[in-house]
Amino acid sequence: MVGPVFTWIAEHPKVFWTAAQQHLVLSAAALGLALALALPLAVVLLRWRRAAATAIALVNVLRTIPSLALLVVMLPILGTGFQPALVALTLYGLPAILINAYTALSEVDADIVEAATGQGLSRAQIVRRIQVPLALPVIFAGIRTAAVQIVSAATLAAFIGGGGLGELITAGMGTLDIPQLVVGGLAVAALAILTELAFGLAERRLNRTRHA
Amino acid sequence: MIALEGVSKIYPGLPRPAVDDLTLMVPGGRTCVLIGPSGCGKTTTMRMVNRLIEPTRGRIVVEGEDVTHADPVSLRRRIGYVIQQIGLFPHMTIAQNVATVPELLGWPSARVAARVDEMLSLVGLDPGGVRDRYPRHLSGGQRQRVGVARALAADPPVMLMDEPFGAVDPLVRTHLQDEFLSILKRLRKTVILVTHDIDEAIRMGDLVAILKDGRLVQCDAPDRLLAMPANAFVADFVGADRALKRLSLVMAGDACEPGTAPAGAPEIAATLSLRDALAILLGTSTEALRVTGPDGQAVGIVTLAGIRARAGEGAGRGLRAAG
Ligand SMILES: Nc1ncnc2c1ncn2[C@@H]1O[C@H](COP(=O)(O)OP(=O)(O)OP(=O)(O)O)[C@@H](O)[C@H]1O
Ligand SMILES: [Mg+2]
């Protein structure tokens, strides 16, 4: 099986690398957007504990929606292509980041926060200098989970014309081109594993420098 | 100087105010210890001074300034704050912890660094040894020292300390109490200290304020409190051995009478307390002790009769009057 896979890539380099590149761009953009939404939201929710409970409950519902359903729901609203795929993947990655960030920030030891308040740190200074650094390992674990989820789910973007490695799979299925199908599957799996490894490595390095 | 004028804190849904019309005055450079049963409002009272809690009614004056409407963040940078759980920032080095307020105040970094070392030495830590370590590397007693160094770093005129010795074991505690007391006196800080421990209150307070159910029951110098408890609650609170406690407040050198002790009488250093003197007398058959000065010279004697008179002096009246 390995032979036909490499033969297929060698014969269709442009198709393969375009799909891989689309996949990466789509995933990175979705992760970036999810971060840009979830992290500030987590900080805002710290000050609105009651709203926070509702927000977390809503996000937990979002979390239970299958990725394919989320993508397909975008069809009637945003049509097909890159944009609806981006929106769906952003929503898909958001819960892990938001829940981890909010939980970790709000669970920073109350005595430490009180001591900081008593020393005369402002609210913003407490978030920036005390809560974020102390919550960072858990926040980062949430980001890693979201990244892997997004990379995997981005495969389904092909169903709504969002491109990516999923196209190799759908095309391969359509024409019963088994090598193409397998290339798509293997490439997605490899990318997900690489993402997990890379973020895991960064996470370990982060924790190591913090506890020197 | 710290003054509380008719201060109350009411939490909706509680049967009584957490703090009820409290008036209290701590003169500059003095230490006032708040003590009373659990839930009597000690912590609430203290935290209203740096506005971690907003009073429902009343006025609080710190160093002549009404702080009831001051900006809380800048107010807190002028008030040292030490809590029982210490609350050191675990992700920062000891130096960074101590530097917190000077940095907030924008001191130049060379001055901050010098100040950090000065403060660490002041509280009895070796700056070179602990500066770059993290709180988890230190013992409970060392952490408590860092907590005090951090609170003192920007030289605030006023210090608030909520059970600062609660987290250290009894042996270390007495030692830390004496050390911190001498530091706070030397720097002429005005201090409000909260404790559960009546011996600590008597040892550390210029004034001891006894609270019950949010109300101030009695605020007096330790000796007066022991001699004249305002009512049965206070008498009970300070303990049946209050006569003995009074003796521990008096140094032998300050209480000695002129005269010569009989040959072979035991000696006691002038800096020890009358309580120590009594313990020695009870262990021997003599009636008098020779009190010796720093060079071992005799400065006078203390007698059993003198100690008894001292323990009872001015006592009893208040209590009997209150029933
Ligand atoms: N945020 C709050 N909401 C409602 N009630 C409170 C709040 N904080 C304190 N109380 C109540 O106010 C009273 C005084 O509490 P406070 O913490 O000042 O007591 P304390 O003397 O420091 O007690 P302890 O010795 O146990 O530390 C208690 O009855 C407590 O239950
Ligand atoms: Mg308390």
Side-chain angles (χ1 to χ4, degrees):
Chain A
M1 199 177 75
V2 178
V5 163
F6 281 109
T7 315
W8 191 90
I9 295 178
E11 282 169 2
H12 310 80
K14 192 134 185 286
V15 178
F16 177 78
W17 291 113
T18 308
Q21 196 194 347
Q22 277 176 347
H23 200 104
L24 271 176
V25 169
L26 182 61
S27 302
L31 183 65
L33 264 181
L35 282 171
L37 288 172
L39 294 181
L41 187 59
V43 171
V44 169
L45 288 179
L46 275 184
R47 291 194 62 174
W48 305 87
R49 297 272 163 146
R50 205 157 325 148
T54 320
I56 298 291
L58 278 176
V59 164
N60 261 322
V61 171
L62 188 61
R63 195 181 225 179
T64 61
I65 303 175
S67 43
L68 186 56
L70 210 52
L71 276 154
V72 171
V73 164
M74 290 299 141
L75 260 179
I77 308 170
L78 292 170
T80 57
F82 179 83
Q83 239 179 28
L86 179 63
V87 172
L89 289 176
T90 302
L91 287 178
Y92 190 61
L94 191 87
I97 303 174
L98 180 68
I99 291 173
N100 270 41
Y102 174 76
T103 312
L105 287 172
S106 61
E107 281 177 1
V108 167
D109 190 345
D111 292 326
I112 293 171
V113 174
E114 195 208 309
T117 314
Q119 309 297 314
L121 273 78
S122 67
R123 247 182 223 276
Q125 285 167 333
I126 292 175
V127 170
R128 206 169 50 232
R129 299 191 193 184
I130 309 293
Q131 287 173 305
V132 168
L134 287 175
L136 209 54
V138 178
I139 296 179
F140 204 87
I143 297 174
R144 173 167 53 91
T145 308
V148 175
Q149 283 176 338
I150 289 175
V151 166
S152 306
T155 315
L156 303 169
F159 284 102
I160 60 166
L165 291 165
E167 300 239 302
L168 302 185
I169 299 176
T170 46
M173 283 215 198
T175 58
L176 279 181
D177 181 349
I178 301 299
Q180 184 179 8
L181 187 83
V182 173
V183 164
L186 286 179
V188 169
L191 201 56
I193 291 170
L194 275 177
T195 307
E196 168 77 31
L197 286 178
F199 275 82
L201 199 72
E203 203 174 319
R204 268 203 301 285
R205 178 152 312 169
L206 173 85
N207 289 338
R208 189 141 16 93
T209 52
R210 286 160 47 85
H211 294 289
Chain B
M1 184 274 300
I2 306 170
L4 285 80
E5 298 167 8
V7 173
S8 297
K9 177 65 192 182
I10 295 168
Y11 287 111
L14 285 193
R16 56 168 180 81
V19 173
D20 195 355
D21 194 22
L22 190 90
T23 296
L24 188 70
M25 158 81 184
V26 189
R30 298 299 162 84
T31 297
C32 176
V33 178
L34 303 182
I35 190 166
S38 193
C40 68
K42 305 179 292 290
T43 299
T44 307
T45 302
M46 202 191 76
R47 290 164 50 119
M48 284 192 285
V49 175
N50 64 356
R51 298 197 46 199
L52 287 172
I53 296 176
E54 295 293 333
T56 311
R57 265 197 303 275
R59 214 166 79 99
I60 297 175
V61 180
V62 175
E63 298 292 293
E65 182 197 340
D66 184 345
V67 299
T68 328
H69 303 287
D71 167 45
V73 167
S74 68
L75 172 71
R76 290 177 197 136
R77 294 177 187 173
R78 289 181 279 133
I79 297 180
Y81 186 53
V82 183
I83 58 175
Q84 173 178 357
Q85 299 76 9
I86 312 171
L88 294 184
F89 307 136
H91 59 302
M92 296 187 191
T93 63
I94 300 306
Q96 288 168 333
N97 266 283
V98 174
T100 305
V101 184
E103 267 172 5
L104 289 172
L105 294 173
W107 291 17
S109 59
R111 185 171 163 215
V112 172
R115 185 69 178 169
V116 166
D117 285 1
E118 186 189 344
M119 287 300 103
L120 290 173
S121 310
L122 181 74
V123 298
L125 294 170
D126 165 35
V130 299
R131 202 190 288 125
D132 297 322
R133 318 200 75 185
Y134 285 85
R136 67 180 177 283
H137 296 136
L138 304 190
S139 72
Q142 288 175 317
R143 280 201 283 261
Q144 197 53 270
R145 290 171 193 271
V146 176
V148 171
R150 179 175 69 177
L152 285 169
D155 202 18
V158 166
M159 294 277 285
L160 304 176
M161 311 176 90
D162 195 350
E163 307 204 28
F165 309 105
V168 289
D169 63 74
L171 266 164
V172 180
R173 191 182 303 165
T174 321
H175 185 66
L176 273 186
Q177 284 166 351
D178 291 341
E179 240 183 294
F180 287 179
L181 185 63
S182 83
I183 292 171
L184 295 169
K185 283 284 158 214
R186 187 146 36 97
L187 302 176
R188 292 196 42 79
K189 300 296 178 197
T190 310
V191 184
I192 291 184
L193 186 147
V194 167
T195 181
H196 267 111
D197 175 357
I198 184 70
D199 293 310
E200 178 175 312
I202 288 167
R203 183 173 309 132
M204 301 209 51
D206 297 306
L207 287 171
V208 176
I210 300 196
L211 275 68
K212 179 176 185 267
D213 299 337
R215 304 187 132 264
L216 182 63
V217 183
Q218 184 174 5
C219 178
D220 259 319
D223 187 55
R224 272 182 66 87
L225 197 76
L226 294 168
M228 284 184 284
N231 58 29
F233 172 77
V234 177
D236 190 46
F237 197 84
V238 297
D241 61 342
R242 59 196 165 88
L244 212 48
K245 288 195 170 102
R246 285 190 78 192
L247 292 180
S248 63
L249 292 172
V250 185
M251 288 205 299
D254 295 334
C256 67
E257 309 157 23
T260 19
E267 292 184 351
I268 184 169
T271 51
L272 289 178
S273 74
L274 284 187
R275 187 178 181 150
D276 300 320
L278 181 64
I280 297 174
L281 281 173
L282 292 177
T284 64
S285 55
T286 46
E287 292 284 315
L289 286 182
R290 181 181 299 111
V291 181
T292 55
D295 307 320
Q297 80 283 19
V299 295
I301 59 168
V302 293
T303 63
L304 213 45
I307 291 174
R308 170 174 289 127
R310 198 77 191 211
E313 197 171 79
R317 285 170 300 161
L319 179 58
R320 242 171 265 131

